[in-house]
Amino acid sequence: MSTVLVTGGTGGLGSQVVTRLLQGHHRVRIMSSRPASPQSQGLRVYGDMASRIGLHEAVAGVDAIIHCATSLKDTQGVDVEGTRALVTSAKESGSPHLIYISIVGVEASDFFYYQKKYEAEQIVLQSGLPWSILRATQYHSFAQSIIESLLARSETEVRVPAGVHMQSINSGEVADRLVAIAELGPLYRVVEFGGPQVLTIEEMTQAYLQSRGRTAVVRAEPFSDPLFSALSSNSILTPNHATGLMTWKEF
C-alpha cells in the first residue's frame, strides 16, 4: 500500500483515479485549491498550484503523484506554471514518482491547449523526478459534449465539422491505466493509449442519434474553429496503440 496524491482529484478523470486507488487500498490525498469539507477530511488536502500555497505540505511523504489537474483555458497557468511548481515542491519532498496524463498528438499540434500540455510534458521529463507520461486519445465523454453542443442548434439537421475524426476512449480505462502505472513504478518514457476504433464525427453523431431514438440529417461542413482544426489531424490518432476496449457505440 502506498500514499498517492491526485491533483485534479475532484474532476472527471481524477475522481475515477481516486476511486480506483481506494479500491486498491492505497492511501489517497486529493489536492484541491478549495478548503476541505468535513466529509472529505482525511482525503482532501489544500494545495494551490497557481499561488503555490500548500503545495509542499500536499506532496510531503507521498510515494507517487498522479497529475490530472488541467484547464482548457489555462487562465491561471495550471498546466505549465502549476506543473513547474508541483515539480519544485516534489523535489523538495522526497522525489515521488510523478505520473502525468497528456493527450496523443500534443507534440505536433499548434492548438493552444495542446501546446500547453506538451510544454508541461517537457517539465515532467526534465524534472529529475522518477516519471511516467501517459498520452490518451480524446475521451468518449468529450466527444459526447461536442456532439451535444452541435445537436443543440437544430432538431432536424445537424451540421458537423468536416474532416474531424476521433479515436475516443473510455476515461475509466485511462484511470485504470494511470493507477497501474503508479503501482508498477516509473516508466521513464511516454506511452500512448488509444480507443479501439477511429470514427468520423459524422459516424459518431449518427450513432449518438440512434442511441437516443432520434433522426436528423447529418451534414459535414467546413468549420472555422481551432479545436476542430486540431481534431482534423492524423497526429491525434494512435492506431498502433488501439488497446482501449469500450467502443463509442457501447459508451
Side-chain angles (χ1 to χ4, degrees), residues 139-213:
Y139 305 147
H140 290 320
S141 55
F142 173 71
Q144 179 181 349
S145 67
I146 289 177
I147 289 170
E148 288 178 345
S149 69
L150 296 171
L151 289 171
R153 303 179 184 185
S154 172
E155 288 290 325
T156 58
E157 181 178 272
V158 186
R159 294 174 58 248
V160 299
V164 169
H165 41 261
M166 285 185 271
Q167 189 181 346
S168 58
I169 192 169
N170 175 27
S171 59
E173 294 176 28
V174 177
D176 288 334
R177 186 67 62 91
L178 288 168
V179 172
I181 292 172
E183 294 174 339
L184 179 66
L187 303 177
Y188 294 103
R189 61 192 177 95
V190 178
V191 294
E192 295 190 347
F193 187 25
Q197 56 189 166
V198 177
L199 297 172
T200 65
I201 197 167
E202 297 99 296
E203 293 170 322
M204 298 179 81
T205 303
Q206 289 286 10
Y208 180 92
L209 288 168
Q210 290 170 6
S211 73
R212 299 298 190 272

Side-chain angles (χ1 to χ4, degrees), residues 76-87:
Q76 295 183 323
V78 171
D79 286 285
V80 177
E81 295 307 320
T83 299
R84 185 174 287 114
L86 184 67
V87 163

Side-chain angles (χ1 to χ4, degrees), residues 84-99:
R84 185 174 287 114
L86 184 67
V87 163
T88 299
S89 294
K91 290 178 71 174
E92 295 171 351
S93 303
S95 294
H97 176 196
L98 179 57
I99 303 145

